[in-house]
Amino acid sequence: MTIKRVVLSALLVVCAGGTTVAATSPSSASPDAGTAGAALAITSTAFTNGGRIPVVHECTSSGDNDPRKKNESPPLAWTGGPAETQSYAIIMRDVDNRNLLHWIIYDIPATVAELPQNVEHVYQPSVPAGSRQIYYRGSASLFGYQGPCSPSSVNAYTFTVYALNRAKLTELNENSTIQTAANSITQASLGSAVISGES
């Protein structure tokens, strides 16, 4: 009986968090679960988990004159990386469009636990220092973040933070494809956590 009460109390505490989705153990059905079950959690001050992503983070495209759309990456913060973490990476996916990869930033130092809004669209942004981004080839051609581009539907997007067992993904460079980068990140993952939003 005591054990059941402890487990129930723990579940209630987790459910009360509301805005984050913690990483799960390898036995979880989540495709973003890491290999070591690290208790990561990720949040954003721009939107709550499952909430609406603000228009400022949507893509800009020719023919769309909405001045609110700036294609600025959202601010993100995370906690709970395992002690073995040597770096972090973020992957953004459009889960309603075959998990289309929208953004990868990696080689984020283990001492960093947040990204500011509007990370520069360059291979090596100044903040966070040391990080690198993959070139996006799709509706836009740029380094880094490509915001939601679903003019005729509301799609769900996930932002996954990965704790990695390597400080630098040296096999990647400015010419690496986004899928190659995603594979390297998942192979080096110690654990992950996800926040989702709609746009």
Side-chain angles (χ1 to χ4, degrees):
M1 183 63 73
T2 302
I3 294 175
K4 289 182 179 178
R5 286 179 180 171
V6 170
V7 171
L8 180 58
S9 297
L11 288 173
L12 290 174
V13 169
V14 171
C15 292
T19 61
T20 67
V21 180
T24 53
S25 67
S27 62
S28 167
S30 169
D32 292 310
T35 58
L40 277 168
I42 182 170
T43 59
S44 177
T45 56
F47 60 95
T48 58
N49 188 47
R52 190 79 179 196
I53 299 173
V55 176
V56 69
H57 305 300
E58 291 185 15
C59 74
T60 54
S61 59
S62 58
D64 188 340
N65 298 318
D66 188 338
R68 299 174 301 161
K69 296 181 179 180
K70 305 286 188 183
N71 202 41
E72 295 183 359
S73 61
L76 298 168
W78 53 91
T79 58
E84 301 84 1
T85 302
Q86 296 189 44
S87 69
Y88 291 101
I90 301 283
I91 299 181
M92 175 189 176
R93 298 178 175 89
D94 179 347
V95 297
D96 287 325
N97 187 14
R98 304 183 304 279
N99 283 321
L100 180 68
L101 298 166
H102 270 247
W103 181 31
I104 292 184
I105 181 169
Y106 63 101
D107 286 358
I108 301 169
T111 54
V112 173
E114 63 182 1
L115 293 181
Q117 180 167 322
N118 197 25
V119 173
E120 298 167 275
H121 290 278
V122 295
Y123 174 53
Q124 295 179 298
S126 58
V127 178
S131 65
R132 297 186 285 165
Q133 299 185 108
I134 293 298
Y135 192 78
Y136 179 89
R137 298 169 176 86
S139 56
S141 295
L142 45 72
F143 279 102
Y145 178 82
Q146 171 65 355
C149 286
S150 307
S152 59
S153 64
V154 175
N155 286 12
Y157 297 83
T158 59
F159 297 81
T160 306
V161 59
Y162 293 86
L164 305 184
N165 62 11
R166 297 167 57 195
K168 296 286 184 182
L169 299 181
T170 54
E171 71 275 21
L172 302 179
N173 57 51
E174 58 189 311
N175 297 314
S176 297
T177 68
I178 201 164
Q179 189 58 61
T180 296
N183 291 341
S184 291
I185 289 166
T186 54
Q187 289 170 12
S189 178
L190 295 168
S192 61
V194 185
I195 185 172
S196 67
E198 294 187 341
S199 179

